[in-house]
Amino acid sequence: MKWPLILAGILLLAAPAAASGDHPAGVGRDQTLAARPKAKTIAELVARYDSESCIECHEEAHEQWSESAHSRSLFGTGRTALTFRTAILNGLMTWKASGVKELKDVRVEHLMGCAKCHLPQLADATDDVAREIVLDIDAWRTAYLNEDDDKADELEETLSSLNINCLVCHNRNAITHKWTDGYPRTDTVYGLSSDGDTEHEDDVFTRKEASPIMGESIFCGQCHGEGPNFELENPTQCATAYGSYLFAYIPEGGHRTCQQCHMEESGLGHNIQSYRAQEMSDKAVDMEVTTQAVVWRDVSTMRPKATVDIELTNQAGHGIPDG
Amino acid sequence: MPVPQRMGRGDRMGRGPYEKSGFLQDNSLPPLRTVKTSYDIFFPVEETEKGDRTIRTYPSDTMDIDVKLWYLPFGTKDDDAFLWREEKHTVSFDNSGS
């Protein structure tokens, strides 16, 4: 009567052995740019995702991208960089368990609430890079306030060299389902289609492949998110546009992708913009206004009034405002 | 606009992106839906007392209405406001007194 229990014991022992076989999860993970030894300086991190060689053949896309917020995702107009600083001063340094008492205590994990989207490749750098970024932002602020333009310009240039460039989208973040589609390779750029040809004219990225998600909304949803990032020790949310897309736009019968509206129909290509571009704002909201005069009678008092009826229809793929 | 909840708890709005987690309220324009709002604007009136009576006169029987859709992404209207739409209308009423 005891043998079923013995069999169960054997199965439990066998399970770990199967999981530690020749093919652990993440086949190919170590062949990615992200898996290389972590960058120790801003310069090293910039060099790892250096997209300069793309410009020669993809000049138009580069020019478009240069006008976009992606090209200055960390520095922005200065306000984005200062918000990193505010998050440290008003957030991390006030929280009892963050481990941050001053700027130099900041580590990569402390910045990922912002950097997950503003600089996802920061995950491929050491804590020294996180500190360098934070101290550079602080030094830029000081130089700006002291009207030390040369120093401010120099630091702005350094901070602006960190951005969402060609290789972040067309390599590092080009594949979301890595077990299904494989990890992004260090010799490959990923686009909408490869035209069946895998040869790519570049000394380093000698191959090209189609990314299965490059034209899908989920690609943008990696950053333009859903809500609290629960994978973080201290969840936070900034952009929630993809959540709105999934749970409000699609249920209303929407079927366009982010790329269709923001890149194709807008004609803006890699200059991906939102409401401040007229191409986007013109088509995002319809406003219908009807007015009439009515002489209102309140008991014995006649009071003329104007009635104004306004209908606003959001044609975008997410709530407005959102991010 | 969406009102982010501070740290995902309580009734306080979170302001900095590092403390936003959840929504307390959402007054944004929902996608593919029409939001209707109505406003009543009374014509300016001048009232004068004459004995026991109040005499009301209307300086103008015409009103210019300027409808503006503003987006305030940050701070106040003076900071970084964006004028999304604007329409001008004029209405008038019969001021003949009948």
Side-chain angles (χ1 to χ4, degrees):
Chain A
M1 290 300 288
K2 289 183 179 176
W3 73 268
L5 289 174
I6 295 169
L7 179 60
I10 292 169
L11 287 172
L12 284 171
L13 287 171
S20 60
D22 292 334
H23 301 293
V27 177
R29 183 190 286 143
D30 55 352
Q31 298 300 314
T32 64
L33 287 174
R36 288 182 174 170
K38 289 185 179 296
K40 297 186 186 69
T41 63
I42 288 177
E44 280 186 27
L45 186 59
V46 170
R48 178 168 309 183
Y49 292 97
D50 180 17
S51 301
E52 287 291 314
S53 67
C54 307
I55 299 172
E56 186 178 348
C57 296
H58 304 281
E59 191 174 350
E60 184 182 9
H62 174 75
E63 290 300 317
Q64 292 170 343
W65 168 85
S66 299
E67 298 295 317
S68 76
H70 286 137
S71 71
R72 48 183 189 278
S73 61
L74 185 112
F75 186 78
T77 57
R79 205 176 85 193
T80 305
L82 289 176
T83 304
F84 270 75
R85 185 177 178 275
T86 305
I88 298 165
L89 268 61
N90 293 359
L92 290 160
M93 285 170 64
T94 69
W95 298 333
K96 63 182 179 184
S98 73
V100 177
K101 296 198 182 309
E102 46 190 323
L103 293 180
K104 68 179 180 56
D105 296 331
V106 170
R107 296 152 57 149
V108 167
E109 64 180 312
H110 292 120
L111 293 187
M112 289 314 289
C114 302
K116 179 185 174 182
C117 299
H118 285 270
L119 194 69
Q121 64 269 39
L122 181 64
D124 312 334
T126 63
D127 292 330
D128 289 334
V129 178
R131 273 188 291 275
E132 189 181 351
I133 290 171
V134 168
L135 295 174
D136 276 3
I137 291 173
D138 194 56
W140 171 80
R141 177 179 176 273
T142 301
Y144 178 80
L145 291 174
N146 293 337
E147 298 182 357
D148 184 349
D149 293 342
D150 290 343
K151 185 68 175 172
D153 289 348
E154 178 192 332
L155 289 162
E156 179 178 337
E157 188 177 347
T158 300
L159 292 165
S160 297
S161 67
L162 296 161
N163 50 45
I164 311 294
N165 65 13
C166 311
L167 287 176
V168 175
C169 289
H170 290 279
N171 180 278
R172 190 187 188 281
N173 287 19
I175 297 171
T176 46
H177 291 73
K178 300 173 183 67
W179 294 350
T180 307
D181 302 312
Y183 285 75
R185 297 166 47 137
T186 54
D187 63 352
T188 305
V189 287
Y190 298 84
L192 278 174
S193 75
S194 65
D195 303 326
D197 177 16
T198 59
E199 194 173 327
H200 182 243
E201 286 185 31
D202 188 81
D203 293 338
V204 178
F205 295 91
T206 56
R207 295 179 72 256
K208 62 181 180 182
E209 269 188 33
S211 157
I213 57 157
M214 193 60 66
E216 304 286 347
S217 294
I218 195 172
F219 177 76
C220 307
Q222 292 179 85
C223 287
H224 300 272
E226 295 172 283
N229 298 311
F230 289 112
E231 78 276 17
L232 301 175
E233 301 274 342
N234 223 60
T236 183
Q237 67 192 29
C238 190
T240 48
Y242 188 54
S244 182
Y245 174 86
L246 290 178
F247 306 123
Y249 175 70
I250 296 296
E252 287 294 329
H255 54 80
R256 284 186 169 82
T257 64
C258 310
Q259 293 89 331
Q260 279 178 294
C261 291
H262 286 270
M263 298 181 75
E264 297 165 24
E265 293 170 10
S266 67
L268 292 169
H270 284 76
N271 180 13
I272 301 166
Q273 294 286 346
S274 61
Y275 63 94
R276 288 199 187 274
Q278 194 167 358
E279 293 88 340
M280 301 308 301
S281 64
D282 279 355
K283 66 178 186 174
V285 179
D286 295 336
M287 184 170 85
E288 296 285 336
V289 179
T290 55
T291 55
Q292 66 171 333
V294 174
V295 180
W296 167 256
R297 179 173 179 169
D298 183 8
V299 193
S300 61
T301 305
M302 306 296 277
R303 291 290 308 275
K305 66 177 183 179
T307 63
V308 183
D309 295 317
I310 302 168
E311 293 188 1
L312 298 172
T313 304
N314 173 5
Q315 303 287 4
H318 48 77
I320 292 176
D322 208 310
Chain B
M1 63 176 288
V3 180
Q5 186 180 27
R6 188 169 186 267
M7 303 295 182
R9 70 199 72 164
D11 61 0
R12 183 163 294 193
M13 174 182 167
R15 188 72 176 104
Y18 51 92
E19 61 183 13
K20 294 176 183 174
S21 289
F23 290 142
L24 286 169
Q25 188 184 22
D26 187 0
N27 295 324
S28 63
L29 299 175
L32 302 186
R33 290 170 66 181
T34 299
V35 174
K36 299 179 181 179
T37 52
S38 295
Y39 301 88
D40 285 347
I41 308 169
F42 284 95
F43 278 74
V45 61
E46 291 176 356
E47 296 183 340
T48 53
E49 303 296 328
K50 192 170 184 180
D52 294 337
R53 297 175 59 204
T54 301
I55 308 297
R56 295 180 179 83
T57 55
Y58 297 93
S60 173
D61 59 4
T62 299
M63 184 189 294
D64 294 326
I65 300 165
D66 197 358
V67 180
K68 294 180 179 178
L69 175 63
W70 284 95
Y71 173 37
L72 274 60
F74 180 78
T76 68
K77 204 168 168 184
D78 294 330
D79 289 322
D80 197 20
F82 177 77
L83 179 59
W84 206 304
R85 288 279 184 275
E86 181 175 15
E87 274 194 34
K88 294 178 187 296
H89 287 239
T90 300
V91 297
S92 58
F93 70 98
D94 181 357
N95 200 12
S96 63
S98 58

